[in-house]
Amino acid sequence: MIIEDFLDKKLQKILNVKAEKLNNAIEKGIIKFFEFHGFPALQFKKGVGNIEDGTVIYFRDKIEVIRGFPKTRRTLMLSPTLKNHFKDKIVIEEKMNGYNVRIASIGDEIIALTRRGYVCPYTTKKAVQIMDLNEFFNDNPDLVICGEMLGTDNPYVSHYYEEIGSLGFRVFDIRKKISNEPISTKEKQNILKKYGLPAVRVLGTYNITEAPSKIKEIIKEIGEANREGIVMKDPEMIISPLKYTSSEAHADEISYAFTFPFDFGKDFFFSRVIREGFQAYEMEENEEELQKRAHRLGEAILYSMVDTIKNVSSGNQAVEDMVIDVENEEEAEAFLRHLHDLGVYALITKFEDKKAIIRRIHQSTTDKINNFLNGGLY
Amino acid sequence: MIIEDFLDKKLQKILNVKAEKLNNAIEKGIIKFFEFHGFPALQFKKGVGNIEDGTVIYFRDKIEVIRGFPKTRRTLMLSPTLKNHFKDKIVIEEKMNGYNVRIASIGDEIIALTRRGYVCPYTTKKAVQIMDLNEFFNDNPDLVICGEMLGTDNPYVSHYYEEIGSLGFRVFDIRKKISNEPISTKEKQNILKKYGLPAVRVLGTYNITEAPSKIKEIIKEIGEANREGIVMKDPEMIISPLKYTSSEAHADEISYAFTFPFDFGKDFFFSRVIREGFQAYEMEENEEELQKRAHRLGEAILYSMVDTIKNVSSGNQAVEDMVIDVENEEEAEAFLRHLHDLGVYALITKFEDKKAIIRRIHQSTTDKINNFLNGGLY
């Protein structure tokens, strides 16, 4: 009753979304009620008005609105896009290959949310182990730390970075609760320095005219180091950032997709191939460079697919093992429940020395490959 | 009125589809009325009951039912599929890269239908020029000749075959009107020989146990000769045929698709990549062979896409030019009207020496590439 009343009157003001729209979204299940540590809460499964999907609202002593992380748009071409989109200067930050996490304080707790607005128990625990966040949140209860959880013992996206190793965190944005307004890149650097929090690498600040040629060099180096890409930002963070990624990252993701070809959509694949086409064009690659890119693409597609077919033909399932670092089996089980909430089919295959192996099973790939191997028609 | 009466009473018996289903399909526009040379006719835009899409019914002195050409299913694996699907023996015929045509006599005319059931004026004219069909249809008015129109002056699928040159036709099936029942492969060979009609190459008849290893050899040779693939048939044509294609054909089609990436669906692409995966697995390729296949795939994707981006960036449209061989401009225009009926956007760019150049414009590819080149975000 109190919440209903609140929805009709107060929430529409806080979010600047009409009550009708909010009620409509609740009816459709787009905004979902849940309980978190004994308090009611709301999760936005999709965007509603200006409010991003992944937004969560906690009703504690105070109403805490942690907005979803806005989708960072991508450019296929550096020129003329950067000149059209930004003004004067761009800060280039590294985009790292992990999973997007928002960290915030609600009441006396610090929580870590994954992209869609779920509190991940593993990420929450690890975030506060990796970083000392108490001082930051004591001083800045209305700020949200947005960053990437990285490393090989990472249950969502496992990628090796020399400086990260098994698990690490890098901050890329600091945003305000309720408004989702980001603070400027400079202020962000100062705050992170002050509280000893780890920032993503800043690769330079460039005029928009010189940026495309600089970025071409940067993206080649990033690719050669098997790293993902960059995010280009307006220093004031008024204009929305853009992302741009390396050929090697595209190939990596395509290789992953074709390890589980019938589980990962055609969209996933097509968009990465399109990126390769425009990047090759803009890089003005010579015959040899273009051939190298084409071969990388072809190998990324075929090798992983053939490996999986071989593997399934030997009687195995198409699976993905992820290692997490937990105190006890209960913690691993809590993480598994979280995965099940997300609709991910997984199980614990091993627990030893405080490491749990979580196995994700790609059923559609397993079933379809078995069907074709047994003579099913396409 | 006569037709309506006919639909309710007679057609359901002829086709063995309930009147209700037929009327429903007519209401939905799935079965379309049209007039052909002054007589009423029906075209099936989609399958209805057992009746294939592309089926046409002509109401002349006699009711002529020319059934749609049945979809030939594909196998990704030769073993165990052939053993599961066929019994004892398989006839291997070459599958050639052109477009599917059904030729039939209705009244005193011989017409050539494309896959979806349109009478193509160009194909109709060329079919009777290329082959002497009168005797065949005089003797066999109730048979339909099913085959492939081939060659470089082919307005739908242009592919060079040494033995075909600019335009040629090869018969692969002879089927009965109304029932769509195919005659046996042996009887077909005899009839084609008798009437001097050109058959697709027969590559052998094999026991299902030896067929997979034989086909592996055949498909490699076919691919090396830049040809498409094979169709495997039950000699009696009681069990439905299956098709299987070469890696080179997949790469060719992928290359075509990525010449117009935003016009050709993701499905188009994905299915061909999947075929490559299973073929590579079944061929038990060594490292070098697999790498060759992967590189061919990557080059097929990237080279054509980069060429198109370059081309559009120079101010051109993404177009495809097709040559047809016509007596006069009116004939070229009749063909163009036919393309427009099919929903294909094309125009005549040149008419000289009885050759017309038909230009098909791929608008979506042109527009999207221009948008990205001008700074559009992805």
Side-chain angles (χ1 to χ4, degrees):
Chain A
M1 280 300 279
I2 294 162
I3 285 182
E4 275 169 24
D5 198 41
F6 164 84
L7 283 175
D8 276 349
K9 291 178 187 157
K10 208 164 168 189
L11 194 59
Q12 62 167 314
K13 270 191 197 159
I14 294 177
L15 300 180
N16 196 22
V17 177
K18 280 185 185 161
E20 198 190 333
K21 224 172 186 172
L22 290 171
N23 285 323
N24 197 4
I26 290 168
E27 270 169 35
K28 283 188 182 157
I30 291 171
I31 302 177
K32 204 190 78 175
F33 280 95
F34 65 104
E35 210 187 82
F36 183 73
H37 293 183
F39 295 93
L42 290 176
Q43 181 190 11
F44 285 57
K45 298 253 174 190
K46 289 185 187 170
V48 179
N50 294 317
I51 307 303
E52 303 82 1
D53 66 302
T55 294
V56 281
I57 302 174
Y58 294 96
F59 303 94
R60 312 280 280 225
D61 303 336
K62 219 177 126 192
I63 295 161
E64 305 281 11
V65 179
I66 302 159
R67 294 272 292 267
F69 191 79
K71 182 178 158 57
T72 305
R73 296 205 67 187
R74 172 184 298 278
T75 183
L76 293 177
M77 297 291 293
L78 297 165
S79 174
T81 319
L82 303 188
K83 227 162 88 184
N84 294 353
H85 187 80
F86 294 106
K87 57 175 206 186
D88 308 338
K89 284 187 182 300
I90 315 173
V91 177
I92 314 284
E93 291 182 358
E94 183 171 9
K95 172 173 171 42
M96 296 178 82
N97 189 16
Y99 61 100
N100 183 296
V101 174
R102 285 162 290 151
I103 307 173
S105 66
I106 52 166
D108 53 1
E109 288 186 85
I110 292 171
I111 57 166
L113 297 162
T114 55
R115 194 80 191 226
R116 286 155 65 195
Y118 291 90
V119 175
C120 171
Y122 181 72
T123 311
T124 296
K125 191 184 158 200
K126 288 295 166 186
V128 299
Q129 272 178 11
I130 293 170
M131 297 174 284
D132 184 358
L133 294 162
N134 288 322
E135 204 187 336
F136 173 86
F137 283 119
N138 278 338
D139 294 353
N140 306 285
D142 293 326
L143 294 183
V144 178
I145 290 175
C146 307
E148 201 86 355
M149 190 64 91
L150 299 154
T152 48
D153 284 8
N154 164 332
Y156 302 103
V157 180
S158 171
H159 187 93
Y160 177 72
Y161 284 103
E162 204 182 353
E163 75 274 29
I164 299 286
S166 62
L167 206 67
F169 195 85
R170 291 294 181 268
V171 181
F172 45 72
D173 272 6
I174 296 176
R175 291 174 176 264
K176 293 178 186 163
K177 280 181 180 166
I178 302 177
S179 73
N180 216 10
E181 199 185 304
I183 66 175
S184 74
T185 57
K186 196 169 176 184
E187 204 188 336
K188 177 187 68 179
Q189 294 304 337
N190 291 340
I191 291 183
L192 294 178
K193 201 170 282 170
K194 181 177 168 189
Y195 293 99
L197 299 176
V200 291
R201 282 198 298 159
V202 178
L203 303 170
T205 303
Y206 300 101
N207 286 317
I208 45 167
T209 47
E210 59 169 348
S213 66
K214 284 286 175 192
I215 291 171
K216 282 187 203 174
E217 288 169 29
I218 290 172
I219 210 76
K220 274 184 200 169
E221 282 169 25
I222 278 186
E224 278 159 19
N226 266 316
R227 299 173 79 104
E228 190 181 11
I230 57 163
V231 176
M232 295 157 276
K233 292 178 170 176
D234 166 24
E236 296 308 315
M237 290 296 282
I238 291 162
I239 301 164
S240 61
L242 293 180
K243 61 186 171 190
Y244 190 72
T245 44
S246 71
S247 176
E248 287 80 359
H250 305 154
D252 255 17
E253 292 181 341
I254 287 169
S255 169
Y256 175 75
F258 275 94
T259 306
F260 310 109
F262 299 104
D263 284 272
F264 293 106
K266 294 156 195 174
D267 274 344
F268 180 101
F269 174 61
F270 184 73
S271 64
R272 279 155 188 84
V273 166
I274 293 296
R275 291 176 206 167
E276 283 294 276
F278 282 90
Q279 189 169 89
Y281 165 75
E282 190 168 27
M283 293 283 187
E284 294 174 32
E285 291 181 338
N286 63 32
E287 213 174 300
E288 196 188 318
E289 290 164 327
L290 186 63
Q291 190 184 59
K292 202 174 154 193
R293 185 187 290 269
H295 290 181
R296 176 165 53 231
L297 173 60
E299 291 179 8
I301 296 169
L302 203 61
Y303 289 0
S304 43
M305 183 170 26
V306 172
D307 281 348
T308 298
I309 297 172
K310 277 185 191 162
N311 192 27
V312 172
S313 79
S314 313
N316 298 316
Q317 289 187 297
V319 301
E320 196 176 348
D321 281 350
M322 308 169 290
V323 180
I324 60 170
D325 189 31
V326 283
E327 281 302 310
N328 49 49
E329 270 196 86
E330 284 68 47
E331 261 185 47
E333 277 157 15
F335 177 68
L336 208 64
R337 277 194 300 278
H338 170 66
L339 286 184
H340 292 171
D341 285 347
L342 298 177
V344 171
Y345 178 36
L347 36 90
I348 301 168
T349 56
K350 201 174 166 188
F351 177 71
E352 209 175 73
D353 297 335
K354 300 198 173 179
K355 297 256 181 199
I357 296 179
I358 308 278
R359 174 163 291 179
R360 189 170 163 187
I361 294 160
H362 296 288
Q363 204 58 50
S364 186
T365 294
T366 308
D367 292 349
K368 288 217 168 155
I369 290 178
N370 270 320
N371 174 40
F372 295 132
L373 289 175
N374 292 327
L377 300 180
Y378 193 60
Chain B
M1 277 300 279
I2 295 162
I3 286 181
E4 273 168 26
D5 197 42
F6 164 82
L7 284 175
D8 276 350
K9 291 177 187 158
K10 207 163 169 191
L11 194 60
Q12 62 167 315
K13 271 191 196 158
I14 294 176
L15 300 179
N16 197 21
V17 177
K18 279 185 185 159
E20 199 191 332
K21 226 172 184 171
L22 291 171
N23 285 322
N24 197 5
I26 290 168
E27 269 169 37
K28 282 186 184 160
I30 290 171
I31 302 177
K32 205 189 79 175
F33 280 95
F34 66 103
E35 209 187 82
F36 182 72
H37 293 184
F39 295 94
L42 290 176
Q43 181 191 11
F44 285 57
K45 298 253 175 190
K46 289 184 187 169
V48 178
N50 294 317
I51 308 302
E52 303 83 0
D53 66 302
T55 295
V56 282
I57 302 175
Y58 293 96
F59 303 95
R60 311 281 278 225
D61 303 335
K62 217 177 128 192
I63 295 160
E64 304 280 11
V65 179
I66 302 159
R67 294 272 292 267
F69 192 80
K71 183 178 157 57
T72 306
R73 296 204 68 186
R74 173 184 296 281
T75 183
L76 293 177
M77 298 291 291
L78 297 165
S79 173
T81 317
L82 303 189
K83 226 161 89 182
N84 293 353
H85 186 79
F86 293 104
K87 59 175 203 185
D88 307 337
K89 285 189 180 300
I90 317 174
V91 176
I92 314 285
E93 291 182 0
E94 183 171 8
K95 173 175 169 40
M96 296 179 82
N97 189 17
Y99 62 100
N100 183 295
V101 174
R102 285 164 289 150
I103 307 174
S105 66
I106 52 165
D108 53 2
E109 290 185 85
I110 291 172
I111 56 167
L113 297 162
T114 54
R115 193 81 191 226
R116 285 155 66 195
Y118 291 91
V119 174
C120 171
Y122 181 71
T123 311
T124 296
K125 191 185 156 198
K126 287 295 168 188
V128 298
Q129 274 178 8
I130 293 170
M131 297 175 285
D132 184 358
L133 295 162
N134 288 321
E135 203 188 336
F136 174 86
F137 283 119
N138 277 338
D139 294 352
N140 306 286
D142 292 328
L143 295 183
V144 178
I145 291 176
C146 306
E148 201 86 354
M149 189 64 91
L150 299 154
T152 49
D153 283 8
N154 165 332
Y156 303 103
V157 181
S158 171
H159 186 92
Y160 177 72
Y161 284 102
E162 204 182 354
E163 74 274 30
I164 300 285
S166 61
L167 205 67
F169 194 85
R170 291 293 181 267
V171 181
F172 44 71
D173 272 6
I174 295 177
R175 290 176 177 263
K176 293 180 185 159
K177 281 181 180 166
I178 303 178
S179 72
N180 216 10
E181 199 185 302
I183 66 176
S184 74
T185 56
K186 197 169 174 185
E187 203 188 339
K188 177 185 68 179
Q189 294 304 336
N190 291 340
I191 290 184
L192 294 179
K193 201 170 285 172
K194 179 177 169 190
Y195 293 98
L197 299 175
V200 292
R201 282 200 297 160
V202 178
L203 304 168
T205 301
Y206 300 102
N207 286 319
I208 45 169
T209 46
E210 58 170 350
S213 67
K214 283 287 175 189
I215 292 171
K216 281 187 201 173
E217 286 169 31
I218 290 172
I219 210 75
K220 273 184 199 168
E221 282 169 26
I222 278 187
E224 278 159 21
N226 267 315
R227 300 173 79 105
E228 189 181 10
I230 57 163
V231 175
M232 295 157 276
K233 292 179 169 177
D234 168 21
E236 296 307 315
M237 289 296 283
I238 291 163
I239 302 164
S240 60
L242 293 180
K243 60 186 172 190
Y244 190 72
T245 44
S246 71
S247 176
E248 288 79 358
H250 305 153
D252 255 16
E253 292 181 341
I254 287 169
S255 169
Y256 174 76
F258 275 94
T259 306
F260 311 108
F262 298 105
D263 285 271
F264 294 105
K266 295 156 194 172
D267 272 345
F268 181 102
F269 174 61
F270 184 73
S271 63
R272 279 155 188 83
V273 166
I274 293 296
R275 291 175 206 167
E276 283 294 276
F278 282 89
Q279 189 168 88
Y281 166 75
E282 190 167 28
M283 294 280 186
E284 294 174 31
E285 290 181 339
N286 62 33
E287 215 174 298
E288 197 188 316
E289 291 165 325
L290 186 64
Q291 191 185 57
K292 202 174 154 194
R293 186 188 290 269
H295 290 182
R296 177 166 50 229
L297 172 61
E299 291 180 7
I301 296 169
L302 203 62
Y303 289 0
S304 44
M305 184 168 28
V306 172
D307 281 347
T308 299
I309 296 171
K310 277 185 190 163
N311 192 28
V312 172
S313 79
S314 313
N316 298 316
Q317 290 186 296
V319 300
E320 197 178 346
D321 282 350
M322 309 170 290
V323 180
I324 59 169
D325 189 31
V326 283
E327 281 303 310
N328 49 48
E329 268 196 88
E330 284 67 46
E331 261 185 48
E333 276 158 17
F335 178 69
L336 209 65
R337 277 195 300 278
H338 170 66
L339 286 183
H340 292 172
D341 285 347
L342 299 177
V344 171
Y345 178 36
L347 36 90
I348 300 168
T349 57
K350 201 174 164 186
F351 177 72
E352 210 175 72
D353 298 335
K354 300 196 172 181
K355 296 255 181 201
I357 297 178
I358 307 278
R359 175 163 290 177
R360 190 170 163 187
I361 295 160
H362 295 288
Q363 204 58 51
S364 186
T365 294
T366 308
D367 292 349
K368 288 216 168 155
I369 290 177
N370 270 320
N371 173 42
F372 295 132
L373 289 174
N374 291 329
L377 301 179
Y378 193 60

